[in-house]
Each structure stands twice: as C-alpha cells, then as structure tokens.
Amino acid sequence: MEKWMCELCGYVYDPELGDPDSGINPGVRFEDLPEDWVCPVCGAGKDQFNKI
C-alpha cells in the first residue's frame, strides 16, 4: 500500500496503520479516506498530500 505525506508538516499517512485517533482503521487506502479527513497533525486537507 502506498504512503502519503503532508506537504505542510511532513506527517505520513500509512494505510497499514490507518489513523485510529480519527476513527480510520488499518487497511484503509488514502484514496478511500473520507473527503473531509484532515491531517491529524496540522489539519491540512487531502489535497495537501503527495504520494511517497
């Protein structure tokens, strides 16, 4: 699974870990995150992330 990094703060969304603090279970691809999901560190939208 592909990881995605926030351009603003460097947070890496790893689908194998998910984002449990935001209710995102492990195994959820970045593309399948809700449109209103934001970076848990800085609050940036999905459009501020780049595939790494």
Side-chain angles (χ1 to χ4, degrees), residues 19-35:
D19 180 12
D21 293 338
S22 298
I24 306 298
N25 293 323
V28 176
R29 298 180 319 147
F30 184 82
E31 296 87 342
D32 296 332
L33 290 171
E35 286 304 313

Side-chain angles (χ1 to χ4, degrees), residues 5-11 42-45 48:
M5 183 172 19
C6 178
E7 296 175 355
L8 302 180
C9 73
Y11 168 81
C42 72
Q48 298 295 311

